Structure formats: C-alpha cells, structure tokens
Amino acid sequence: MSQSRAAAGTATVPPAEVVLAGDLARPSRLTVADLLAWPQRRAAVSFECATSGVQHHRFTGPLLHDVLADAGPVFDPARRKDRLRFLIAVRGADGHRALLSWAEIDPDFGRAPVLLAVRIDDTPLDRDGPQLVLPQDRCGARHISGIDTIRVDGGYTAWT
C-alpha cells in the first residue's frame, strides 16, 4: 500500500455538524460534543418501522426546545402567541425531512419531549450526527438520523 493511501485510511473524519438556521438571533453550527453541554434527557422509545417491525431503543440528548430557545427564535415579545406561527424543519444528511410546529415543543403548549439524541443504546453519535427523536410518535417516520440542518421559520403571517 502506498504511503499516501495508508495516510488517507487513518485520516481523522471531522465530527458531523448541525446547522441551526432561519429566523434565529444566533444561528450556529453544533456538533454532538456541543450538544452534550445541555442537560441530557433519556427516553426509552418503541416505534413501528414499516420495513423492520417494532423497534426499541434508548436515546439520550438535550431537548430540541432548549437548543433552539438558546439560538434565539425571533418571536415578537409583545405577542405571547406569536411563537405559534413558527415551524421547525429538520433535514438528515440522507435527505430525510420532518416538519414540526414550535407549539409542539413549547412548554406552554404541547410540551413534547423531542430530543436531539447524541446517543442511541449507549452508542455515541459523534461521527453520524444527532438524531431527531419524538418519543410520543407511534411510527418512527419523524425520527431523523444524521441531522445536518434545523431551520426555524416564522414567515407565516396571519390569515386575512
């Protein structure tokens, strides 16, 4: 094996990054190591998978709400319900996408314990990137692996 091929085989793979974008005061890029700075929650989750039946996993990670609230969604502070018009789009590196409303994760409304999992079954997700985990979902279709982008969008105006 050539020296350059051997060096390429041992090259360090950079950790996956999640881009927080959209209507945020502090957009950023986060790694799994960054997400470990938030309080960690654990969830034992069972969900139906169309291709492999019922799945059972243990996930650990911060709440999506905590991470996004820290990024400063640009709600109108004079209007308590302004945050209800915000949507959260999550995309995985494989192109899989899910859409949530801010009201689902907000403690004043749905209070869903949606995680940005940094571990699955005690296996770290440092290289793969975090997973979106919705413990309340019966079907695992909104579980997104290898998240690369989370976009917060409040561009939806009131209907007239």
Side-chain angles (χ1 to χ4, degrees):
M1 177 185 296
S2 74
Q3 192 172 11
S4 61
R5 282 185 67 194
T10 61
T12 304
V13 177
E17 285 188 328
V18 176
V19 174
L20 300 183
D23 294 328
L24 300 168
R26 293 172 298 283
S28 61
R29 292 177 174 271
L30 301 172
T31 63
V32 166
D34 297 325
L35 293 171
L36 287 167
W38 273 274
Q40 301 295 293
R41 301 285 182 101
R42 295 173 195 249
V45 178
S46 296
F47 58 87
E48 291 182 33
C49 179
T51 57
S52 55
V54 177
Q55 301 288 308
H56 304 280
H57 295 289
R58 292 178 325 277
F59 294 96
T60 304
L63 290 174
L64 175 63
H65 177 268
D66 293 349
V67 174
L68 293 181
D70 188 66
V74 292
F75 306 139
D76 180 347
R79 296 178 49 222
R80 179 176 174 265
K81 293 183 181 179
D82 186 55
R83 55 196 152 149
L84 298 180
R85 69 183 170 89
F86 281 70
L87 298 177
I88 303 161
V90 180
R91 184 181 71 192
D94 63 357
H96 191 173
R97 298 169 190 249
L99 187 64
L100 296 91
S101 71
W102 186 270
E104 282 182 84
I105 66 169
D106 193 297
D108 288 339
F109 299 99
R111 196 183 316 168
V114 178
L115 296 179
L116 288 177
V118 296
R119 296 180 76 82
I120 178 172
D121 300 326
D122 298 322
T123 301
L125 295 171
D126 299 38
R127 296 289 176 231
D128 297 329
Q131 290 189 15
L132 182 71
V133 177
L134 294 97
Q136 70 279 11
D137 282 8
R138 182 186 63 81
C139 172
R142 291 198 296 175
H143 287 228
I144 306 290
S145 300
I147 298 170
D148 64 8
T149 307
I150 301 174
R151 181 171 183 77
V152 176
D153 190 345
Y156 301 90
T157 58
W159 295 327
T160 55

